[in-house]
Amino acid sequence: MLFADYHTHTCFSHGTGTPEENVQAALQRGLCAIAISEHGPGHMFYGVRKEALLALRREVDRLAAKYAGRIQVLMGIECNLTGYGLCDLPQDPGLPPFDVILLAYHKGVFPRDGFCCARALEAMAHGKPDPVRTANALLAAGERYRVHMFSHPGLYVAADIPTLAKGARELGILLEINAARVTMTQDQLRQAAAAGAGLVIGSDAHAPERVGEFRLALQAAQEAGVLDRVRNWRP
């Protein structure tokens, strides 16, 4: 069974439900843990910034106290790759540490160097990006910011999975099998497992009814024979 969903969105970004509705949905699914993991502030459309981020922190803390003993409620963030080895993880000293830090390449992000500008142009033009360099850009940021998970690897721009998986294993970062749209092929899932990388299944829910909806990712993991590498699954 899958016991935790570390990738969910709410009305604080581009989801439809409240954080509490996501928590209640997770309880109904029988989950033991849920993270509210909104987009980092670098996303020009969906990023959660300043006072909104502080308000979300207060709400997550309130829910963690309210539902203590029933489910673990975590404060997550889905950071955006903003350059080679760079991301938009907030550095505000007045903000408590995040419980779960996800990182991914997204379109619609303010770039901090030419790397993400190039990746965005290549993705939009269906060009030929350098998957190894993209993987190394993610790994450099993952190490610098102590990331826990790479969400939906390969979405929007290709990343070389063997390179990403080997580095992720060395850094202790998990690769997500995204249940909203599985972004790794069967071969890539097997390559990730062969490299020793840990995997995690996330719903990427944008509505409460999608919280804990893992079917597509679970099926992909089973068919690839890598379910034993999924860290939020137990027999």
Side-chain angles (χ1 to χ4, degrees):
M1 64 170 286
L2 287 157
F3 58 84
D5 193 348
Y6 298 117
H7 190 174
T8 77
H9 296 278
T10 74
C11 57
F12 273 80
S13 63
H14 58 148
T16 61
T18 66
E20 186 154 17
E21 287 172 333
N22 276 21
V23 172
Q24 291 171 344
L27 278 169
Q28 292 172 359
R29 290 272 188 177
L31 300 183
C32 299
I34 181 173
I36 308 299
S37 48
E38 303 292 17
H39 288 285
H43 200 291
M44 66 182 72
F45 302 114
Y46 308 128
V48 182
R49 307 177 185 91
K50 298 181 181 178
E51 292 305 316
L53 191 58
L54 290 170
L56 179 58
R57 171 89 250 186
R58 291 191 293 269
E59 177 63 2
V60 169
D61 289 346
R62 181 186 75 82
L63 295 172
K66 178 177 178 179
Y67 292 94
R70 300 176 62 193
I71 188 170
Q72 185 181 29
V73 182
L74 304 170
M75 179 69 174
I77 186 165
E78 188 180 16
C79 298
N80 303 286
L81 187 70
T82 58
Y84 193 98
L86 301 172
C87 79
D88 59 349
L89 181 69
Q91 302 295 312
D92 186 343
L95 189 67
F98 293 91
D99 301 309
V100 183
I101 301 173
L102 293 75
L103 174 64
Y105 175 87
H106 291 97
K107 293 182 284 187
V109 173
F110 295 108
R112 291 173 59 187
D113 67 12
F115 175 79
C116 273
C117 286
R119 298 285 80 74
L121 289 171
E122 286 165 345
M124 287 188 291
H126 305 289
K128 295 182 179 180
D130 182 344
V132 172
R133 183 165 166 77
T134 299
N136 284 326
L138 286 164
L139 290 167
E143 181 176 21
R144 180 175 184 176
Y145 298 96
R146 299 188 178 184
V147 167
H148 301 114
M149 298 164 48
F150 290 127
S151 48
H152 48 68
L155 183 65
Y156 303 123
V157 64
D160 185 71
I161 296 302
T163 300
L164 189 65
K166 179 178 181 296
R169 174 184 58 79
E170 294 169 354
L171 296 172
I173 299 174
L174 304 179
L175 272 60
E176 182 194 50
I177 309 175
N178 190 287
R181 55 249 191 255
V182 177
T183 60
M184 289 186 283
T185 66
Q186 297 290 297
D187 283 344
Q188 288 174 328
L189 287 171
R190 295 186 189 102
Q191 289 168 348
L199 303 171
V200 60
I201 289 177
S203 71
D204 200 357
H206 287 69
E209 58 267 24
R210 295 290 301 173
V211 170
E213 175 48 70
F214 300 127
R215 181 177 53 82
L216 290 178
L218 183 59
Q219 180 180 343
Q222 290 171 326
E223 291 177 355
V226 299
L227 193 56
D228 61 325
R229 302 296 304 174
V230 176
R231 299 293 174 79
N232 60 330
W233 177 84
R234 58 180 173 229

